[in-house]
Amino acid sequence: MKEHVQRLDNYTALNELTVSEFSTLPSCDTTGCAEHHTPLSTPTKINDNVYQTLPKSTSLKRKDNDSAFVSPPNRKLSKNQNTQPNTEQNFRLNLSNKFSALEINESEIDPVEGTSTGTIAKNVNTVNSNKKPATNTAINKSADLTKNLPPPIMLKITLDFREQMKVINNFMPNLRSKMTGEYFKLYCDTHDQYHELLTFLKKIQYQFYSIKLKSERPIKVVIKGLPKKAKPEDIHNDLIDLGFTVDRVSQLTGKITNQLLPVFLVSLPRNMTNATIFKLDKLSYLNVTVEGYDSKGVTQCYKCQQFNHTASNCHIKPKCLKCGEPHQTTECKIDKVETRYCVNCKAYGHMANYSKCPLYPKPRKGATIKSNYTSIVNSLVRPNVSFAQATAQQE
């Protein structure tokens, strides 16, 4: 009995030893093995004991007290490990001093406590030596800003235009010209040349029209607050009593109703005294409002019946608005026009001031800027510099 028990114990111990040795062997890697019954679709399982040196748990975290480095798990690593970050772009700093171009006068520097005068002078010389000299482009740009060319003079093209331009170029060789429609645009470089050319063209009696310089244009304002029964003569005299120089006072009428409106248009010469009319708040013993005249629409000359200029600056042969003959409309002997004729499009049925004429220009789109006290003063103080140019110089 004892021998049987001893044999059974030996067999059990041998079996346990065999099982333990068998467990150390790797699993069968043959797909579909008949002995080990490995399925066809099941991948081979790797024994964990082969990689005993690697930690089995991926939940380990690095602690401050631990000196050993723990590799992060694969799921926390970047997929593209070969890409190296560009550290130069992330750590590129601008170390230039934007105040180094400022001019510092050595005589204007006050001594600072704890700083010697020699040290300050040395710093000033260093700043001035680092400053770059002004380029020719900047100088030319500032010179162009101070140069405001006068408006062109429109010379009417005739059959002998070659002879015309020869005479004009002999008088002013540096004159620039450009053709536009039925006219030559004559450009001058200075305002003095502009006036000289005007005088010369009037002397040789060429057909042309000009545009007044902005500094020579009259001040046009509208006065509101007076009754429509007020007389323009009385308003004219009241403005003269207040010290203004008045050219003309007229009462406006409605375009649709053709009735007089309680609005009066005043034209004054452009000077500093007349510019103060925008500050006028009382006239003819009544409180009034003065605003800049907003001339909407198209400017038409009632001498030659063409557009974009006025009769006061026109030196073209006149044409009648009624009959189209070469005389002023006020001198026409026809009282009532039976057959209307347009001198611009050479067609019957309408006159030259008809807004639906094919040659009648359309008004420009965009908001118009009314004249005010500031714009009038700037045109007198700085007649050759526009507001945009003045602001560009300050920058």
Side-chain angles (χ1 to χ4, degrees), residues 167-362:
V167 174
I168 295 175
N169 280 273
N170 291 336
F171 173 75
M172 193 171 291
N174 296 328
L175 186 69
R176 293 170 288 113
S177 60
K178 181 181 179 181
M179 188 189 72
T180 170
E182 299 179 355
Y183 294 91
F184 286 128
K185 283 185 176 181
L186 306 180
Y187 292 94
C188 301
D189 295 333
T190 61
H191 292 74
D192 294 336
Q193 293 180 2
Y194 177 82
H195 292 293
E196 292 176 4
L197 184 59
L198 283 179
T199 306
F200 178 74
L201 293 177
K202 292 178 184 178
K203 184 178 179 180
I204 60 179
Q205 296 181 356
Y206 280 177
Q207 295 189 56
F208 71 96
Y209 73 84
S210 60
I211 302 173
K212 278 189 176 182
L213 301 175
K214 187 175 182 180
S215 58
E216 299 177 358
R217 297 175 189 174
I219 302 174
K220 291 185 178 181
V221 296
V222 290
I223 299 178
K224 301 178 181 179
L226 297 175
K228 63 180 180 180
K229 294 182 179 180
K231 297 180 180 180
E233 296 82 7
D234 297 337
I235 299 175
H236 187 281
N237 296 331
D238 292 339
L239 290 174
I240 292 178
D241 295 339
L242 294 175
F244 297 103
T245 305
V246 184
D247 289 338
R248 186 180 59 179
V249 178
S250 58
Q251 189 173 3
L252 302 182
T253 57
K255 293 183 178 179
I256 300 176
T257 60
N258 290 329
Q259 295 182 358
L260 295 176
L261 300 175
V263 182
F264 296 87
L265 174 63
V266 182
S267 178
L268 310 92
R270 188 175 292 249
N271 53 50
M272 295 297 296
T273 303
N274 292 335
T276 58
I277 194 173
F278 290 94
K279 301 180 180 180
L280 183 66
D281 57 355
K282 198 166 187 179
L283 181 66
S284 300
Y285 311 101
L286 295 173
N287 292 333
V288 296
T289 303
V290 180
E291 298 178 356
Y293 177 64
D294 186 8
S295 58
K296 295 181 180 179
V298 179
T299 303
Q300 185 175 10
C301 174
Y302 291 102
K303 181 180 179 181
C304 66
Q305 310 306 327
Q306 296 184 5
F307 305 97
N308 301 324
H309 66 279
T310 58
S312 59
N313 301 317
C314 181
H315 300 275
I316 302 175
K317 293 181 181 180
K319 291 182 181 180
C320 181
L321 181 63
K322 298 179 181 179
C323 61
E325 296 297 327
H327 60 261
Q328 295 284 353
T329 306
T330 56
E331 300 175 357
C332 186
K333 298 180 180 180
I334 302 175
D335 296 334
K336 186 177 181 180
V337 181
E338 297 180 357
T339 303
R340 298 179 179 181
Y341 176 74
C342 179
V343 297
N344 291 329
C345 66
K346 313 297 181 182
Y348 290 92
H350 65 273
M351 293 190 295
N353 58 355
Y354 184 54
S355 60
K356 294 184 180 180
C357 176
L359 298 181
Y360 194 89
K362 297 180 180 180

Side-chain angles (χ1 to χ4, degrees), residues 37-83:
H37 305 286
T38 304
L40 295 174
S41 60
T42 302
T44 304
K45 184 177 180 180
I46 300 175
N47 192 2
D48 295 336
N49 296 330
V50 178
Y51 305 99
Q52 293 181 359
T53 57
L54 297 178
K56 296 183 180 181
S57 177
T58 58
S59 62
L60 295 177
K61 295 183 180 180
R62 183 179 179 181
K63 298 182 180 180
D64 296 338
N65 297 330
D66 296 338
S67 59
F69 175 76
V70 179
S71 301
N74 293 332
R75 60 185 178 83
K76 292 185 178 182
L77 294 177
S78 176
K79 293 182 179 180
N80 189 6
Q81 298 181 0
N82 297 327
T83 304

Side-chain angles (χ1 to χ4, degrees), residues 99-156:
F99 299 102
S100 60
L102 297 177
E103 292 186 4
I104 302 177
N105 191 359
E106 184 177 354
S107 60
E108 297 179 356
I109 300 178
D110 296 332
V112 185
E113 295 182 0
T115 306
S116 62
T117 309
T119 305
I120 298 175
K122 183 178 180 181
N123 295 333
V124 172
N125 295 331
T126 304
V127 172
N128 292 333
S129 62
N130 294 332
K131 181 182 176 182
K132 296 181 180 180
T135 59
N136 295 330
T137 306
I139 297 175
N140 295 334
K141 184 178 180 180
S142 61
D144 293 337
L145 292 174
T146 59
K147 186 177 181 181
N148 187 19
L149 298 177
I153 298 175
M154 310 297 292
L155 177 66
K156 190 174 181 61

